[in-house]
């Protein structure tokens, strides 16, 4: 399962997803990180359990998310350029935004 970064969405045609498809089937969902960390973790866990996911791969904020969801699911994960401290590194994005 591929987890996108902050301010992005799951794009089946993205270069990363296409590259991962060389290794196997790729699942993904679009997440709204503004709903909070636990809601995102819960959404990933619910989807992963319903689709029998065996590996999480996340980029940036998705890397952070993959580590937390995978630990609760007992799954391996790969974090590509993970957001290590999103509460610090993404602080500049907190506030009023336009979607």
């Amino acid at each position: 399962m591929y987890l996108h970064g902050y301010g992005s969405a799951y794009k089946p045609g993205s270069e990363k997803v296409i590259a991962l498809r060389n290794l196997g089937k790729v699942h993904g969902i679009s997440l709204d990180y503004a709903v909070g960390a636990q809601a995102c973790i819960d959404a990933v866990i619910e989807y992963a359990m319903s689709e029998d996911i065996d590996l999480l791969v996340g980029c940036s904020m998705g890397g952070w998310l993959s580590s937390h969801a995978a630990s609760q699911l007992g799954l391996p994960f790969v974090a590509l350029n993970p957001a290590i401290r999103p509460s610090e590194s993404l602080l500049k994005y907190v506030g009023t935004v336009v979607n």
Side-chain angles (χ1 to χ4, degrees), residues 14-97:
S14 75
E15 289 182 31
K16 292 174 194 153
V17 173
I18 291 169
L20 289 170
R21 267 197 220 116
N22 291 324
L23 303 173
K25 186 173 183 178
V26 179
H27 290 265
I29 56 174
S30 291
L31 297 159
D32 177 4
Y33 288 106
V35 298
Q38 193 58 55
C40 289
I41 293 168
D42 292 344
V44 170
I45 289 171
E46 182 179 334
Y47 185 88
M49 291 176 64
S50 73
E51 296 296 325
D52 198 28
I53 301 298
D54 57 6
L55 171 70
L56 299 179
V57 178
C59 185
S60 189
M61 189 66 177
W64 176 90
L65 179 58
S66 68
S67 71
H68 289 272
S71 70
Q72 292 185 37
L73 289 162
L75 294 176
F77 72 95
V78 176
L80 308 170
N81 190 30
I84 304 297
R85 293 183 189 91
S87 61
E88 295 171 18
S89 63
L90 297 174
L91 187 60
K92 63 184 173 187
Y93 299 108
V94 173
T96 304
V97 298

